[in-house]
């Protein structure tokens, strides 16, 4: 069983691996296929595992090229994870549901979302804004965004609000994974995030994106963080 030997030789991770040998084989065979078929790319050895896992999540090779990184993004993400206790603040419940609870727990990382909270909905109705905007404002008021991993896969308005908080309020998250999908302000919100030098980010340029891709990117970073454990 060559695949088993390959896994045993090359994989030191335990928490961020699939729980069965069969599952590990499928995942690593998929990664090998992606590596063989992707063609040339300009990503660093630290960035490529993130992009590869995103391609694995939806079998779309367009993310080779559409995915963009702040120069410090991967290092900042790994450092935030390895610190322990760093919160993940998401725009929607889907991200929190998709993230592996054992993997987060290994690093003591809580995951938060406020999109469905009654006060968020009421405030959005009162101010004629979106729930996503008010959810980010609530996280900011509660002190959760500073130093956090901010994960946005659905709502462009959430990402635009994070950009505003960075520019106007001095917010400094550890990392912003900004991948909202759609036709209204999705591309623009990610372009605005990518203009910022003071905060590390990972974005998907253009209209494509989604919560599944945010989860994939975060799982890749969790795996890289475990591989660097002392």
């Amino acid at each position: 069983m060559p695949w088993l030997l390959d896994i045993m030789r090359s994989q030191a991770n335990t928490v961020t691996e699939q729980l069965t040998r069969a599952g590990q084989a499928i995942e690593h065979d998929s990664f090998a296929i992606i590596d063989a078929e992707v063609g040339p790319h300009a990503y660093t050895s630290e960035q490529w595992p993130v992009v590869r896992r995103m391609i694995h999540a939806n079998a779309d090779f367009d993310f080779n090229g559409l995915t963009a990184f702040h120069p410090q993004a991967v290092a900042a993400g790994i450092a935030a994870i390895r610190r322990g206790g760093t919160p993940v603040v998401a725009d929607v419940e889907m991200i929190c549901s998709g993230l592996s609870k054992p993997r987060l727990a290994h690093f003591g990382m809580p995951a938060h979302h406020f999109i469905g909270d009654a006060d968020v909905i009421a405030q959005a109705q009162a101010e004629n804004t979106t729930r996503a905007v008010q959810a980010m404002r609530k996280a900011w008021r509660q002190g959760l965004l500073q130093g956090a991993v901010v994960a946005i896969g659905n709502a462009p308005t959430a990402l635009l609000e994070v950009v505003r908080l960075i520019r106007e309020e001095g917010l400094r998250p550890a990392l912003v994974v900004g991948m909202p999908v759609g036709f209204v302000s999705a591309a623009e919100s990610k372009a605005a995030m990518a203009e910022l030098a003071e905060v590390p980010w990972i974005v998907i340029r253009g209209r494509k994106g989604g919560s599944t891709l945010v989860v994939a990117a975060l799982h890749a970073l969790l795996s890289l963080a475990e591989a660097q454990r002392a």
Side-chain angles (χ1 to χ4, degrees):
M1 301 170 69
W3 59 265
L4 179 56
L5 294 177
D6 288 343
I7 289 172
M8 294 176 68
R9 282 196 297 263
S10 64
Q11 295 299 321
N13 287 10
T14 55
V15 173
T16 56
E17 281 288 323
Q18 294 292 320
L19 297 180
T20 67
R21 290 294 185 184
Q24 291 174 22
I26 292 169
E27 185 168 82
H28 288 283
D29 285 351
S30 296
F31 290 162
I33 291 168
I34 293 167
D35 286 338
E37 295 186 8
V38 69
H41 65 77
Y43 297 108
T44 68
S45 59
E46 292 78 22
Q47 294 168 347
W48 174 242
V50 179
V51 180
R52 180 174 60 192
R53 194 174 283 268
M54 290 165 60
I55 294 170
H56 176 254
N58 63 3
D60 188 345
F61 281 93
D62 282 354
F63 295 109
N64 172 24
L66 289 180
T67 310
F69 294 81
H70 182 284
Q72 302 303 317
V74 175
I78 291 172
I81 292 166
R82 288 178 53 78
R83 272 199 302 273
T86 300
V88 176
V89 180
D91 62 332
V92 290
E93 184 177 5
M94 185 182 296
I95 291 173
C96 296
S97 297
L99 288 168
S100 166
K101 290 180 175 57
R103 298 180 197 189
L104 291 179
H106 180 70
F107 293 100
M109 299 179 72
H112 305 274
H113 71 90
F114 302 105
I115 195 75
D117 289 8
D119 58 333
V120 165
I121 297 169
Q123 197 68 26
Q125 291 171 338
E127 296 184 16
N128 194 29
T129 61
T130 68
R131 291 183 296 146
V133 166
Q134 296 300 331
M136 289 299 115
R137 291 178 182 174
K138 180 173 181 176
W140 171 245
R141 290 194 301 272
Q142 293 191 0
L144 290 171
L145 291 180
Q146 198 77 6
V149 174
V150 180
I152 298 176
N154 185 76
T157 56
L159 187 55
L160 288 170
E161 179 62 16
V162 170
V163 170
R164 186 193 70 79
L165 289 167
I166 291 168
R167 288 174 171 167
E168 298 180 9
E169 303 293 342
L171 169 64
R172 293 296 181 267
L175 175 69
V176 177
V177 182
M179 301 178 179
V181 61
F183 298 94
V184 178
S185 299
E188 293 82 356
S189 67
K190 290 175 282 189
M193 187 72 235
E195 290 177 356
L196 300 180
E198 56 267 48
V199 171
W201 44 261
I202 306 173
V203 302
I204 297 169
R205 298 191 184 277
R207 291 173 169 178
K208 288 188 176 184
S211 297
T212 301
L213 292 162
V214 173
V215 169
L218 292 179
H219 280 170
L221 291 171
L222 287 163
S223 181
L224 290 168
E226 187 186 4
Q228 290 186 15
R229 69 192 184 279

